[in-house]
Amino acid sequence: MTTSKRNLSFDIARAMAIYLVIIGHSMTGLWGTWQSNFVFAANLPVFFIISGYFYHSKKMKDVIQTGINTLLIPFFIVTILYIGLRTIIGEFIQHIHYLNFQTLLPLIYGNGATAHSPFGFDLSSHAGAVWFLPTMFIANIIFHLLMKSNKEFIRFIIVIILFGTGYTLAQYAYFPWSIQAALEVQIYYLFGYWLAKIVKKYSEKKFLPIFLF
């Protein structure tokens, strides 16, 4: 009886990315420096690349349902707990004042940092690192729509346009559910998808880097 051997490379990559996320959000005194920029540039892309690597076609209904169960529900649960704990611990006496529109806004907006919105108000409260979850929900939907095209060149052109659009929007303001980031990360999904095709094509070749096995 044979059993399939789990590829530990991806588990190791996820673990390293998680550690980098923790390290990045612990570097409060170094935010904005090249050190923190390097950590943040290297952590989250790993998750999107892995998602692209394991991409397989699904019905859009299944993509949305899976995203709700594994991304949106955890996001709302963690955000509610985060706001609740901050209210109890930090604002117990003035909890009524604390639970205002600006405080509850992260539940709707999904912002991960203090920022300026394109709708005329500033985001002084935020949901912390879990902003990543609704962003990935949107990004997954976009990538599955993108993959409906069977032409690789068309996919590449669209990804470049999406990246440019996302980058431009990011210079302007912080949009709900970090839509600008969801557009930018499509390039990581596509890279992961291409990597999977290369590995599949040359899986029996000895010259492949060892981390691909």
Side-chain angles (χ1 to χ4, degrees):
M1 179 178 178
T2 60
T3 58
S4 60
K5 185 178 180 181
R6 183 182 179 87
N7 190 332
L8 297 179
S9 301
F10 296 100
D11 292 328
I12 294 171
R14 288 190 184 99
M16 292 177 64
I18 291 171
Y19 278 120
L20 285 174
V21 169
I22 296 172
I23 292 171
H25 285 87
S26 301
M27 300 171 64
T28 52
L30 294 174
W31 284 351
T33 64
W34 71 267
Q35 293 95 330
S36 67
N37 291 337
F38 173 79
V39 170
F40 283 115
N43 54 19
L44 294 184
V46 173
F47 295 105
F48 295 110
I49 291 172
I50 292 175
S51 294
Y53 187 94
F54 288 107
Y55 164 82
H56 61 275
S57 181
K58 293 182 182 178
K59 294 181 180 179
M60 188 54 62
K61 181 180 72 171
D62 295 332
V63 175
I64 294 173
Q65 187 61 57
T66 300
I68 290 174
N69 293 337
T70 61
L71 298 172
L72 293 190
I73 291 178
F75 167 76
F76 285 117
I77 291 175
V78 171
T79 306
I80 290 172
L81 290 175
Y82 172 75
I83 292 175
L85 287 173
R86 285 196 59 181
T87 301
I88 293 171
I89 297 173
E91 303 286 342
F92 182 77
I93 297 177
Q94 297 179 336
H95 65 282
I96 295 177
H97 170 73
Y98 186 75
L99 287 173
N100 53 27
F101 174 73
Q102 284 292 91
T103 304
L104 297 176
L105 190 59
L107 286 173
I108 303 170
Y109 209 91
N111 58 304
T114 300
H116 175 71
S117 78
F119 306 110
F121 57 85
D122 290 328
L123 301 163
S124 59
S125 180
H126 59 83
V130 291
W131 69 268
F132 167 78
L133 299 178
T135 302
M136 194 167 194
F137 173 76
I138 296 296
N140 284 341
I141 292 174
I142 294 174
F143 187 68
H144 276 79
L145 290 173
L146 173 68
M147 294 302 291
K148 290 186 179 298
S149 172
N150 294 323
K151 298 185 180 298
E152 290 287 357
F153 181 73
I154 297 298
R155 291 174 182 167
F156 177 72
I157 294 299
I158 293 175
V159 164
I160 295 300
I161 293 173
L162 292 177
F163 180 86
T165 303
Y167 179 82
T168 302
L169 291 177
Q171 309 310 305
Y172 173 65
Y174 198 106
F175 289 81
W177 288 12
S178 298
I179 293 175
Q180 71 282 356
L183 297 176
E184 290 183 77
V185 299
Q186 296 306 311
I187 198 166
Y188 299 123
Y189 279 96
L190 191 61
F191 176 79
Y193 174 74
W194 284 347
L195 181 61
K197 291 184 67 175
I198 293 172
V199 172
K200 182 178 180 180
K201 183 175 181 180
Y202 298 103
S203 60
E204 296 181 357
K205 304 293 183 180
K206 294 182 180 180
F207 61 80
L208 272 181
I210 191 170
F211 71 90
L212 295 180
F213 291 93

